[in-house]
Amino acid sequence: MTIKKVFLIVFSLLFSIAVMALLINREKLVYLLPAKEPQVLRDLAYDKDKRLGYTVHVKEDGKLVPYLVLTKNYIDQGNVLLLRKHLVEPSMSFREGWEEAYYGHSIPDAFMHKDFIKRLPKDVQENIPLTELGIKPSAKNAGMGHIEKIKRKLFLLSDIDVGNYKGRVRFEDDRNLLYFKRKGGVKEDRLAYLDGDSTPYSWWLRTAFATASGVAKVVSYEGKFGGGGVPYPAHVRPAFTLPPETEVEEKESDEQTIYVLKTDK
């Protein structure tokens, strides 16, 4: 074997190793470059470039309200997930009386689609796609399988979404969101507050308990997973998705730059 052939073989091996290293670390390499000025909603997603603050402001009854932009592709359905940063007032029960914790007929589900959605601008309402969710079926449909599929414009997150790794029952077919898988401070990431209030409160999830029909899961005021009897109150934290190419724009608010959904009004 000639020296030239040896050189070519060694060069090819080194080149292949370098390419593999680049592919493995491509996400890390992104952060060596300056953050790209966001033009569309996908650019703000936490799992796209967290340096931009992963927050977009949406108008509710004409007032700008912050939403966390948590993932660019929620449950592999191609849309960007937004979660309201602050809890909604007032708190509410999950069901009337001691009924089963079936999300499809829950009070938070009805509230979000009959009342809360009206706070959003008309063009935002029209652009929100239906998201297919997996939930625990009602007792009358329990024989149809472990997961019932429903479609919703607005919804609550599941315990799997917010990082429940242990002892979970896979009623949902979603997965942990990267935002809630950060190293350290995971409980703090789940804490939620009312706007202007520094006291954390518990908030409902869409996940029903597997072993207690009248209990739905909550994130407690300590950021821990717990259960709430359906007649008892907890707060609602609405989530919805939007197409990734939804346009955003910069605005100045209280002497700082924020990102806002572009709307017709």
Side-chain angles (χ1 to χ4, degrees), residues 5 9 49 62 202:
K5 286 183 178 180
I9 291 171
D49 194 336
S202 61

Side-chain angles (χ1 to χ4, degrees), residues 166-182:
K166 299 179 180 179
R168 66 189 186 193
V169 177
R170 292 302 299 267
F171 293 127
E172 294 87 356
D173 55 353
D174 43 3
R175 63 200 64 183
N176 300 126
L177 294 168
L178 184 63
Y179 175 80
F180 294 104
K181 294 173 70 174
R182 294 187 285 182

Side-chain angles (χ1 to χ4, degrees), residues 26-71:
R26 62 187 181 278
E27 187 173 335
K28 294 180 181 178
L29 288 172
V30 169
Y31 292 100
L32 297 177
L33 302 172
K36 175 187 174 184
E37 191 62 38
Q39 303 294 320
V40 295
L41 189 58
R42 184 180 186 274
D43 297 334
L44 288 173
Y46 179 84
D47 54 7
K48 178 69 164 59
D49 194 336
K50 60 181 70 70
R51 293 174 299 172
L52 295 170
Y54 48 90
T55 301
V56 69
H57 287 69
V58 183
K59 285 185 178 180
E60 290 182 10
D61 292 331
K63 178 184 176 183
L64 288 174
V65 175
Y67 279 75
L68 301 179
V69 189
L70 292 185
T71 179

Side-chain angles (χ1 to χ4, degrees), residues 73-110:
N73 185 12
Y74 185 54
I75 326 182
D76 292 331
Q77 294 180 40
N79 295 307
V80 178
L81 176 67
L82 278 66
L83 174 68
R84 198 177 196 270
K85 183 175 181 179
H86 298 119
L87 304 169
V88 176
E89 293 189 274
S91 59
M92 62 190 70
S93 302
F94 197 84
R95 298 293 306 272
E96 292 285 353
W98 282 102
E99 301 177 282
E100 66 170 323
Y102 175 60
Y103 180 71
H105 293 161
S106 67
I107 293 171
D109 183 50

Side-chain angles (χ1 to χ4, degrees), residues 134-200:
I135 63 169
K136 181 182 178 181
S138 63
K140 66 179 182 179
N141 293 327
M144 298 174 64
H146 296 297
I147 298 175
E148 178 181 339
K149 298 287 188 177
I150 61 173
K151 292 184 178 181
R152 295 290 189 270
K153 280 199 165 191
L154 287 90
F155 49 88
L156 302 180
L157 296 187
S158 72
D159 67 331
I160 300 174
D161 282 334
V162 296
N164 189 14
Y165 307 99
K166 299 179 180 179
R168 66 189 186 193
V169 177
R170 292 302 299 267
F171 293 127
E172 294 87 356
D173 55 353
D174 43 3
R175 63 200 64 183
N176 300 126
L177 294 168
L178 184 63
Y179 175 80
F180 294 104
K181 294 173 70 174
R182 294 187 285 182
K183 293 181 180 179
V186 173
K187 291 179 183 177
E188 286 72 18
D189 294 335
R190 291 195 292 260
L191 293 177
Y193 309 82
L194 296 170
D195 189 13
D197 189 342
S198 61
T199 303

